[in-house]
Amino acid sequence: FKSHSPLDSVPIAMKVIVSHAPEEGEGDIWRKQVTLPKAWLSHPCQRLKQFVVKSYNQAHSDKPDLDPDAWHLRCETGDLREALGEEDLVAEVLLSSDEVLLRPGVGPARAAAA
């Protein structure tokens, strides 16, 4: 018989919802479901932020590009409102189906709960 490694239960990918809520009166909310590859789960959230900013900029080519250094990610799922640290690993701070918002301002290097 073949034994199963604990990694067998790790999902192949993680689906999260990413969004950007503009300031009041500045347009519609941008929202997108994203499937993160399994390899991204062991990478810092900074990589996810770069991807989200790039996706937003591509979807809003008629507007000035957002500068990734001027934004941070926050997990806002249910009652949770937690800034994600740039150095936090994706798998340590996110669960599948979490909602991740792009928020103005520089975020922490590490999340408070990490």
Side-chain angles (χ1 to χ4, degrees):
F1 291 95
K2 187 176 181 182
S3 66
H4 292 283
S5 159
L7 293 177
D8 290 343
S9 64
V10 173
I12 293 174
M14 178 187 292
K15 291 183 180 186
V16 296
I17 298 168
V18 296
S19 60
H20 172 270
E23 297 296 322
E24 195 170 318
E26 289 188 16
D28 297 327
I29 293 175
W30 173 77
R31 214 169 167 216
K32 179 177 180 176
Q33 182 171 342
V34 177
T35 301
L36 305 178
K38 182 179 179 179
W40 280 34
L41 303 182
S42 62
H43 283 86
C45 287
Q46 181 180 12
R47 181 175 185 173
L48 176 58
K49 180 182 75 169
Q50 298 285 345
F51 170 78
V52 172
V53 170
K54 181 178 178 182
S55 296
Y56 178 86
N57 287 339
Q58 288 174 343
H60 296 87
S61 58
D62 58 324
K63 296 181 180 181
D65 281 355
L66 298 180
D67 176 2
D69 294 333
W71 295 83
H72 69 279
L73 296 176
R74 272 183 38 166
C75 182
E76 297 190 8
T77 302
D79 292 333
L80 180 66
R81 302 285 182 266
E82 181 75 37
L84 303 180
E86 298 261 322
E87 299 171 4
D88 291 327
L89 299 183
V90 171
E92 293 176 345
V93 293
L94 291 177
L95 297 173
S96 195
S97 300
D98 275 350
E99 183 149 4
V100 180
L101 276 78
L102 194 56
R103 294 289 190 194
V106 177
R110 298 293 255 163

